Every structure is written in structure tokens, then in C-alpha cells.
Amino acid sequence: MCLLPEDAGRLIKAGASIQVEEGLGESIAIDAGKYEAAGATVVRDRPRALAEAGLILRLHKPPLEEIAELREGVVHVSFLDPYRTPEFAAAMNDRGVSAVSLEMIPRSTLAQKMDVLSSQASLAGYAAVVLAASRLERIFPMMMTPAGTISPARVFVIGAGVAGLQAIATAKRLGARVDAFDVRPEVEEQIKSLGAKFLKVDLGGETSGTAQGYAKALTEEQLARQREAMSKQCAHSDVVIAAAQVFGRKAPVLVTSEMRRGMKAGSVIVDLAVETGGNVEGSAMDRELTLDGVLLLGHSHMARRVAVAASQMLSSNLTNFVQHFWDKTAGTFVLNLDDEILKGCLVTHKREILQERVREIVAGAGKGNA
Ligand code: NAD
């Protein structure tokens, strides 16, 4: 849910006029009265509101057929996933919409307060561990009782970006023994600072990240080395949290069926990369499967499991985004094309696709359809 009443109030105080669609907030028990009290108007007529708006804030991209109903020149802010679903960026472009893709907001210090990927990934890492702990038929902490001692659960986190680091921190707080691996060597210190062990794997060749802090895709040979080195670790683990991603590409398959078969019956794997193709062979979107005695959880949008916190963070990120571009004197949102943040995330503007890679993908898709 993308805008809480208190954040709507902040924008209204700055001079915005806000319409919210009826039902917004219902899923987290916020009723229309709260938006009205903040000064917003609650509207039922979605096509009319879409046709009138100068700026649209939403979580997901709109249905494809709805893009034709948007007003030409409107600024549309949402997740857009232009690399994997370029048809939406293409339709926004045809319609003359200025489309901002939330996942492309630069991971810079200046943009940190608008970084929706980080805020949702943190929650996903937390929720993944809590889910795994609730489904594991063992306990995370060591427990010493007169009846005997129970050793702590062993958790292995693969991919220590924002989600993985939060998963490590959560598993540690619950008392588990945590090991982790990431392909970017610079992450080792961060893993250790959370009290987890870093699994050393010699992948050979270059593995440091891109200038934006993302991992580069490994070669097939490097991936094979990685899988081999991780097999033993998976076999020892009660829980595996797989959170490895390569920005803009399909997630690498890191836990094969053979590795899963080597795991103890009753172990739990959470595939946090399921939406981008999955890190775990056999995982399926929004399915819970027991394969060879191992429970494989493939829930998408993991942050939804903590919907109030997810909405708070998203609403705050979006409000910060709007405020960054707000002209206080004129009381309007200004699309400043020279702004570094906007240069990274504005995908279409005045019927031009501004991001080179998206332009190539859209052109490629067009040829494919011809
Ligand atoms: P992500 O979701 O793209 O990837 C998750 C993790 O998977 C990354 O740590 C990546 O290195 C890892 N990975 C990729 N291939 C792997 C493989 N084969 N095996 C194991 N791990 C693999 O990344 P993210 O969580 O969005 O964060 C990316 C980086 O951006 C991080 O370094 C983060 O610190 C940085 N960041 C910086 C800022 C900022 O400066 N404001 C904000 C957010 C994130």
C-alpha cells in the first residue's frame, strides 16, 4: 500500500491536492475517514481520477490496458520492471507518460530515503527467517534444560545483500548459528559484523560488484564451483535462505536438486529469489512443496507478510521522493531532468525511452514481434 494518511497529510501541507482511490488502506485496516481527516479526497471513479492526475503514485505497474487511459504527460511512479516486462515501458512511452521505475532509483546515499528496494528487501529478509522458523520442527536457539541440551539450528544464507543481511541479523537474534556466502568479497566483513561465519569459496576470476554495488553475473564454471562448495554447507543446515540476485537478470540457480537431496529431512529452504526465476531448483512461485523431505517455500512479495511495516516504509519512500522534487514556492512537483536520482529512474519522457538498456530491450522485443 503506497500512501498512508499521515504521509498524504505531509504532501497536502506542502501544497499538493491528493485523491486516493476508495479502498486504499483497507488491507491494513485504514479507513477512508483517516485520509479525509488528513485532507485527501477519496474517489470511486478510477478512470476519471487517472485521466485528471498530474502525478500518480502506486505500488505495482498498471494493467497494460489501463495505460491508454492515463493523461499524456502524467508522471507515473511505480515498480515497472522494465527489463523483464518491457511492454509496459513501451506502452507508457507510446502514451507520452513520464514513467518512473522505483526499482531503478539509484542506490546512492542521497537517494537512500527513497530506496524502496532496500526497505522492502529488509522486510523480506526478516519475514523469510520468521517464516522458516515457524515451519521448522526444531528451535533456533540453543536450549539448556534439566532434560538435556538442544543445539541451535544452523541457518545458511546465500546472498548477503540487503535481504540476506537482514535475514542473518534476524536468525542470529533468534539464536541460530548462521553461515553465509556472497559472491562480492567486500560483503565478508558485513557478514562477520553480524556474528555470522563467512563461507570461503574460491570462485577463480573477478567477482567484485558493479559501480552501483550490484553483483556481476558469474560464468557457468564459477557457478559450478560455487555449488560444489556450498553442497556440504547445505547438507549441514536446518534452514537455507537463498537471496542471491543479479540486478536486471534472471537469478542464478545455486541450490540444485542434487544439493537438496543431500539435506536432512525436515530442513526448510526459502527461495527469496523466486520472483526473478529462483535460486533453488524445483521452487515454484507462491507454492510450498516438500521435495525429498525438504520443505521448499517459494512465496513472492515476502514483505507482504508484514504488510503494515511494508506500507509504512513504501509510503515514506514515496513521500520522500515527491518531496525531493517539490517546488515549495510554486507548490508543485517538478520533473527536474538534471537531477541525478531522476536520471537513473525516469524511463520514459515525452515519447522517448531515456534508459539505454530499456531502449535496446524494447527495440529487440519490437523486432521479435514483427
Ligand atoms: P541484490 O538484491 O541485487 O542481490 C542480493 C545479493 O545477492 C547481493 O549481495 C549479490 O552480491 C548477491 N549475489 C549475486 N549472485 C550471487 C551468487 N552467485 N552467490 C551468492 N550471492 C550472490 O542486491 P541488493 O540487496 O539490492 O544490494 C546490492 C548492493 O547495493 C549491496 O552492496 C548494498 O549494500 C548496496 N546498497 C547500497 C545502498 C546505498 O548506498 N544507499 C542502498 C542499498 C543497497
Side-chain angles (χ1 to χ4, degrees), residues 163-196:
L165 288 172
Q166 190 59 247
I168 294 170
T170 306
K172 283 298 295 180
R173 280 186 212 119
L174 286 175
R177 203 173 134 183
V178 184
D179 294 86
F181 174 71
D182 195 292
V183 73
R184 290 178 297 124
E186 57 267 33
V187 181
E188 178 172 353
E189 273 315 304
Q190 297 168 20
I191 291 173
K192 286 182 176 164
S193 72
L194 291 170

Side-chain angles (χ1 to χ4, degrees), residues 16 38 85 92 109 123 127 131 143 176 188 200 230 240 250 255 257 263 271 281 303 318 338 347 349:
T85 54
M92 294 274 191
T109 308
L123 293 171
L131 176 66
M143 216 177 260
E188 178 172 353
K200 290 250 184 230
M230 291 193 323
V240 172
K250 189 180 170 302
V255 181
S257 302
M263 290 175 66
D271 191 351
E281 215 166 59
L318 285 174
D338 294 326
V347 177
H349 182 60

Side-chain angles (χ1 to χ4, degrees), residues 162-241:
V162 180
L165 288 172
Q166 190 59 247
I168 294 170
T170 306
K172 283 298 295 180
R173 280 186 212 119
L174 286 175
R177 203 173 134 183
V178 184
D179 294 86
F181 174 71
D182 195 292
V183 73
R184 290 178 297 124
E186 57 267 33
V187 181
E188 178 172 353
E189 273 315 304
Q190 297 168 20
I191 291 173
K192 286 182 176 164
S193 72
L194 291 170
K197 269 182 144 178
F198 180 71
L199 178 75
K200 290 250 184 230
V201 179
D202 178 14
L203 294 172
E206 179 55 45
T207 59
S208 54
T210 65
Q212 292 78 36
Y214 292 117
K216 291 184 190 139
L218 297 184
T219 63
E220 264 316 310
E221 194 189 328
Q222 287 176 316
L223 279 173
R225 278 193 193 206
Q226 180 182 349
R227 291 184 199 113
E228 193 186 331
M230 291 193 323
S231 285
K232 209 162 136 199
Q233 190 64 48
C234 288
H236 286 156
S237 302
D238 301 295
V239 170
V240 172
I241 308 282

Side-chain angles (χ1 to χ4, degrees), residues 125-143 150-157 166-178 237-241 266-268 270:
Y126 163 85
V129 171
V130 171
L131 176 66
S134 72
R135 304 302 301 276
L136 185 72
E137 288 174 351
R138 295 167 178 269
I139 58 169
F140 269 37
M142 181 167 89
M143 216 177 260
I150 296 181
S151 32
R154 294 195 65 159
V155 174
F156 181 36
V157 177
Q166 190 59 247
I168 294 170
T170 306
K172 283 298 295 180
R173 280 186 212 119
L174 286 175
R177 203 173 134 183
V178 184
S237 302
D238 301 295
V239 170
V240 172
I241 308 282
S267 305
V268 177
V270 182

Side-chain angles (χ1 to χ4, degrees), residues 35-161:
Y35 286 103
E36 284 165 346
T41 313
V42 176
V43 294
R44 274 196 195 152
D45 188 345
R46 182 187 177 105
R48 186 165 162 198
L50 286 176
E52 286 176 358
L55 171 68
I56 296 175
L57 302 177
R58 71 201 302 170
L59 175 55
H60 297 295
K61 48 191 182 256
L64 206 47
E65 60 281 6
E66 202 180 274
I67 293 175
E69 292 173 32
L70 301 179
R71 191 165 68 78
E72 191 179 333
V74 67
V75 180
H76 188 283
V77 182
S78 72
F79 280 105
L80 193 58
D81 202 5
Y83 299 148
R84 287 187 304 142
T85 54
E87 62 278 21
F88 288 85
M92 294 274 191
N93 193 44
D94 291 345
R95 184 67 194 147
V97 171
S98 296
V100 170
S101 172
L102 287 174
E103 53 274 80
M104 291 171 76
I105 289 178
R107 314 301 287 271
S108 62
T109 308
L110 184 63
Q112 237 167 357
K113 58 183 193 252
M114 335 170 179
D115 184 349
V116 288
L117 285 185
S118 288
S119 54
Q120 300 303 301
S122 279
L123 293 171
Y126 163 85
V129 171
V130 171
L131 176 66
S134 72
R135 304 302 301 276
L136 185 72
E137 288 174 351
R138 295 167 178 269
I139 58 169
F140 269 37
M142 181 167 89
M143 216 177 260
M144 287 197 256
T145 75
T149 298
I150 296 181
S151 32
R154 294 195 65 159
V155 174
F156 181 36
V157 177
I158 307 169

